[in-house]
Amino acid sequence: MRTVRHWTGREVRALRAARRMSIREFAAHLGVSDRMVSKWEAAGEQISPRPVNQAALDTSLRRSSPEVRERFAEFLSTPPLLDGAAEAESPIIRHPVDGKRMALVPGGPFREGLTSEPAWLPAFYIDIHPTTNAEYGRFVAATGHRPPAHWTDEGCPPERASHPVVLVSWHDAQAYAEWAGKSLPTGEQWEKAARGQFGDQFPWGDQPLPDRCNVWETGIGGTAPVGRYIRGASPYGVYDMCGNVWEWCATERVPGRYERRGGSFATPLSQCLPALSADGPAGLRADNTGFRCVMG
């Protein structure tokens, strides 16, 4: 049987995933708070539970079924950084063209879709935030590309500079990506960046918490500044992967129609699951749809 000599947040997350429990269920199972489990998992190998909690984790693993122990060993067999030389990669970079910060999503297996089927992707970087009006404005100024219809002759309204750009078609998003030397994410890339390796239902875990995102239940009724919902970050530190604006992807569902992911401020939380996707015609320009880019 696989044993753990010294538990860290990484092993905690692997055991929870192997037992297929939500953070709240796993916390109750161990007799600790769900906030403590979240803290362990967020810190990864940089944190170790106290001895009394190490003992509780030992007991949980020892009493697990053979299937759970097998899944636990499988999850732990995936290196935390992956892809050989990827250990030399920085988890956060700043892109040289558009200046956006990008987070590393390590290559390797992950759980995909509503049924959490195993899948695999190579490593890539993804924009930490959706493209903002200010960032899109620099692209417009550099290329002469058509600005969004709600902008004035002076450009984006200043009070909306840090909000995600909207009223952009798939073609507009693709043009920005090409200018920046990036690409739009595939649906699989977007989903892994939002859910992490273990296929949590939401970027922050399995609990439906509308206070961690800008969705219909939040009641804002429009876009919010990117990065406002710090507690809603994904396991890779990527923001606004649930709500705020739908995001265009590179995946073409049928000719001329492309995936959109993440839901928006007008979407109920239950329909913002990162495993779900919608689609739209490439020429659609909607006040609840924007984008972000990937590289690698």
Side-chain angles (χ1 to χ4, degrees):
M1 183 185 78
R2 179 71 179 261
T3 59
V4 176
R5 197 167 185 178
H6 188 72
W7 291 86
T8 71
R10 179 171 178 249
E11 288 79 21
V12 170
R13 186 176 181 83
L15 181 57
R16 179 176 70 82
R19 296 187 71 100
R20 293 179 176 167
M21 289 180 168
S22 69
I23 288 179
R24 183 172 297 176
E25 291 168 340
F26 191 61
H29 168 71
L30 294 177
V32 300
S33 69
D34 52 356
R35 184 176 180 181
M36 184 172 292
V37 173
S38 296
K39 178 181 177 182
W40 291 340
E41 294 190 4
E45 296 179 332
Q46 305 304 312
I47 196 170
S48 295
R50 291 184 302 167
V52 63
N53 294 323
Q54 296 255 347
L57 289 160
D58 288 338
T59 301
S60 176
L61 179 59
R62 185 172 61 252
R63 293 179 177 177
S64 296
S65 68
E67 291 80 9
V68 168
R69 293 198 294 269
E70 183 179 350
R71 286 197 295 269
F72 176 70
E74 177 188 345
F75 289 141
L76 284 186
S77 69
T78 304
L81 284 175
L82 317 164
D83 276 354
E87 292 188 4
E89 299 281 358
S90 170
I92 303 292
I93 64 170
R94 188 172 292 277
H95 195 269
V97 177
D98 63 2
K100 286 184 69 66
R101 291 192 306 145
M102 305 184 78
L104 174 66
V105 179
F110 71 104
R111 300 290 176 173
E112 178 184 18
L114 293 174
T115 57
S116 292
E117 294 297 319
W120 189 93
L121 281 176
F124 62 94
Y125 283 95
I126 188 167
D127 291 340
I128 289 177
H129 301 116
T131 303
T132 66
N133 283 298
E135 291 157 349
Y136 197 78
R138 291 194 286 272
F139 156 68
V140 169
T143 65
H145 193 87
R146 166 184 170 173
H150 64 298
W151 288 15
T152 67
D153 291 341
E154 287 73 37
C156 163
E159 67 275 11
R160 295 278 171 176
S162 62
H163 288 232
V165 66
V166 294
L167 292 173
V168 289
S169 69
W170 182 89
H171 297 297
D172 295 327
Q174 178 70 8
Y176 177 99
E178 291 177 357
W179 166 77
K182 303 180 183 180
S183 58
L184 296 179
T186 65
E188 283 187 325
Q189 287 176 321
W190 196 99
E191 183 178 344
K192 182 176 181 180
R195 301 178 69 193
Q197 174 186 351
F198 302 107
D200 290 341
Q201 289 196 59
F202 297 98
W204 54 82
D206 290 326
Q207 299 303 312
L209 302 172
D211 62 330
R212 299 193 179 187
C213 52
N214 180 16
V215 292
W216 181 81
E217 291 90 338
T218 312
I220 293 178
T223 60
V226 302
R228 171 175 176 176
Y229 295 92
I230 296 174
R231 297 177 66 201
S234 83
Y236 305 110
V238 183
Y239 293 84
D240 290 330
M241 302 296 275
C242 185
N244 216 2
V245 293
W246 288 98
E247 297 182 15
W248 287 113
C249 292
T251 302
E252 191 174 23
R253 285 278 191 84
V254 296
R257 295 185 69 90
Y258 290 85
E259 277 194 12
R260 297 184 300 160
R261 294 268 183 163
S264 77
F265 60 83
T267 311
L269 179 61
S270 62
Q271 298 176 30
C272 292
L273 293 171
L276 298 175
S277 66
D279 63 51
L284 173 70
R285 291 186 173 96
D287 66 356
N288 66 351
T289 301
F291 68 95
R292 76 178 76 213
C293 298
V294 298
M295 180 182 69

